[in-house]
Amino acid sequence: MSVARSLSPESLTELTRALDLSGVFANGTLGGVLARTRRLDLFGFLVIGIVSGLGGGILRDTLLQHGTPVALTDYTYLTVATAGTLLAFVADLSRHTSGRTFHLLDAAALSVWAVAGAQKTLAVGLGWLPAVLLGTITAVGGGAIRDLLLARTPSVFGGTPLYATVAVLVSAVMVVCSRLGAPTVGVLAGITVGVSLRLAALTWGWRLPGSRDWRRGSARDPDH
């Protein structure tokens, strides 16, 4: 039996936690980068970075109703979110917001959190649909709250290259592989698919159609 299929439940729990924390750090850093573009002070950095890093996981754990959200009981989460935020406060990363490094960080954070959210949902005994939904919420929830605080249109609502769609697909990959008895394969495949698709969408501008696209198509109708 391969390592991918023989991973113990305890090891899978530790892997999920590691993925969760990596997403917390990455999103804390992304929040700090955006806080710098708005010229916020240290407190503003911390608020935006911590909300960005912890918001999605807190939403997920609250909806799971499986005890107090882990971000409020395990101080490692707050520490990691703060560390990511302070990195962006100390080092001016804002000039890289349109570069490959920033895009890779964004894609990785989105993917690892979708995987972690889906796996944590499956671990408490819920089915495939809640796993996909909560995997997506984990991935995009913190960023959506952060964007609202910054008076930005949340990326999850569209207008940007594929974002929430990537989280849905990654969560689905994780669910399918878990159902097949290969959760570690799901982790690796989900992250690989998510990062690749997100970077491709950013490179070539792939996005879902909006209402204006439909109106353009109907403009050829002689009755309008």
Side-chain angles (χ1 to χ4, degrees):
M1 183 178 292
S2 67
V3 175
R5 291 180 178 273
S6 62
L7 194 66
S8 67
E10 294 78 13
S11 298
L12 187 58
T13 298
E14 288 301 314
L15 178 59
T16 302
R17 182 174 185 271
L19 290 171
D20 220 11
L21 288 171
S22 65
V24 168
F25 183 84
N27 277 277
T29 303
L30 291 171
V33 168
L34 293 175
R36 181 177 289 276
T37 64
R38 296 301 180 92
R39 301 181 181 278
L40 302 184
D41 62 13
L42 176 59
F43 183 77
F45 264 79
L46 291 173
V47 170
I48 297 301
I50 290 172
V51 165
S52 180
L54 301 181
I58 290 176
L59 285 175
R60 174 200 64 209
D61 293 346
T62 300
L63 291 172
L64 283 176
Q65 296 185 359
H66 199 68
T68 305
V70 67
L72 302 180
T73 59
D74 185 344
Y75 291 169
T76 304
Y77 280 78
L78 180 59
T79 302
V80 169
T82 302
T85 304
L86 292 178
L87 173 63
F89 181 79
V90 174
D92 185 2
L93 304 176
S94 60
R95 55 182 175 165
H96 302 299
T97 54
S98 60
R100 290 185 178 181
T101 302
F102 183 86
H103 287 162
L104 180 60
L105 183 64
D106 173 70
L110 182 71
S111 301
V112 298
W113 253 358
V115 164
Q119 173 55 35
K120 190 163 187 177
T121 304
L122 292 172
V124 301
L126 294 182
W128 68 269
L129 183 56
V132 171
L133 291 175
L134 290 179
T136 303
I137 288 173
T138 304
V140 306
I145 298 172
R146 174 201 66 208
D147 290 344
L148 290 173
L149 290 175
L150 292 173
R152 292 159 41 103
T153 300
S155 299
V156 67
F157 293 155
T160 60
L162 299 179
Y163 187 71
T165 305
V166 174
V168 171
L169 180 60
V170 172
S171 300
V173 169
M174 185 66 210
V175 168
V176 170
C177 291
S178 294
R179 293 297 191 191
L180 295 176
T184 309
V185 172
V187 170
L188 298 175
I191 293 174
T192 300
V193 168
V195 170
S196 301
L197 182 57
R198 175 64 174 159
L199 291 179
L202 288 167
T203 300
W204 289 293
W206 297 345
R207 64 189 68 206
L208 297 178
S211 61
R212 287 179 296 179
D213 300 316
W214 294 108
R215 286 200 296 270
R216 289 194 198 102
S218 64
R220 293 190 294 268
D221 188 337
D223 295 330
H224 292 78

